[in-house]
Amino acid sequence: MKLAEVVADGFGRVQEVVHDAVEGLSAEQLTESPAPGANTIAWLVWHLTRVQDDHVADLMGTEQIWTAQDWVGRFSLPFPASDTGYGHRPEDVEAVRPDSADLLTGYYDAVHEATTAWAAGLAEADLDRIVDEGWDPPVTLGVRLVSVLSDDLQHAGQAAYVRGLVLRDT
């Protein structure tokens, strides 16, 4: 298996869980909180997509899909365009109110497409490239990709769990 195939498989798994977590849900279900102050499906999927978009665009040296394709305008959130959801409070979570599951999956799919297209050109030697010297030891491209995949899969799994809670009474 080649590096690009491993990366595509990892992000493909995220995409599958994202779709499974949101498809068929109403806007109300996407924004239902399982407990006071808890993250919603909408926020979890938006956040994991923002993090992937932010981090991978940085690795590629390109503008984020969020602004380049005007997803920022489509979501119309009360946050700066650079916001990824890190450090959000419950009231910020509540502000993420997409009008449909399609908005969430559309944004994720656009980021996924950019991610996998870029990863198709990666070689093993690229994994050792330092991408962030703000840490000790400095962060390599390989470590950053694993970090993004780990974060994405955790949040996608959380969204799937919240879906189960939301649908348990239906």
Side-chain angles (χ1 to χ4, degrees):
M1 191 174 222
K2 294 182 176 134
L3 171 62
E5 294 169 331
V6 171
V7 173
D9 183 72
F11 284 106
R13 290 170 191 239
V14 174
Q15 184 182 41
E16 183 179 316
V17 178
V18 162
H19 277 261
D20 288 347
V22 305
E23 286 180 345
L25 296 182
S26 68
E28 294 75 28
Q29 290 169 316
L30 291 169
T31 57
E32 186 176 321
S33 180
N39 293 331
T40 65
I41 296 166
W43 185 88
L44 287 161
V45 171
W46 170 81
H47 168 64
L48 75 86
T49 308
R50 287 293 299 123
V51 168
Q52 182 177 332
D53 191 6
D54 174 76
H55 286 36
V56 174
D58 185 55
L59 295 172
M60 294 189 300
T62 62
E63 183 179 357
Q64 295 176 28
I65 300 298
W66 182 243
T67 54
Q69 295 182 10
D70 195 35
W71 289 97
V72 65
R74 294 181 227 185
F75 274 80
S76 189
L77 298 174
F79 314 131
S82 61
D83 198 327
T84 63
Y86 182 75
H88 272 192
R89 302 170 314 233
E91 55 268 25
D92 299 320
V93 171
E94 291 174 17
V96 179
R97 305 190 68 76
D99 59 3
S100 71
D102 290 343
L103 186 64
L104 291 166
T105 56
Y107 177 42
Y108 185 80
D109 290 347
V111 171
H112 174 78
E113 182 179 319
T115 300
T116 55
W118 166 76
L122 290 177
E124 271 192 60
D126 295 325
L127 295 177
D128 292 329
R129 179 171 55 94
I130 302 298
V131 297
D132 187 348
E133 295 195 18
W135 298 90
D136 186 20
V139 177
T140 63
L141 185 142
V143 167
R144 181 58 47 86
L145 283 174
V146 169
S147 175
V148 172
L149 275 168
S150 173
D151 187 68
D152 278 3
L153 284 169
Q154 288 181 63
H155 287 313
Q158 291 165 356
Y161 179 76
V162 174
R163 178 190 176 96
L165 295 175
V166 167
L167 295 178
R168 73 175 171 215
D169 297 326
T170 59

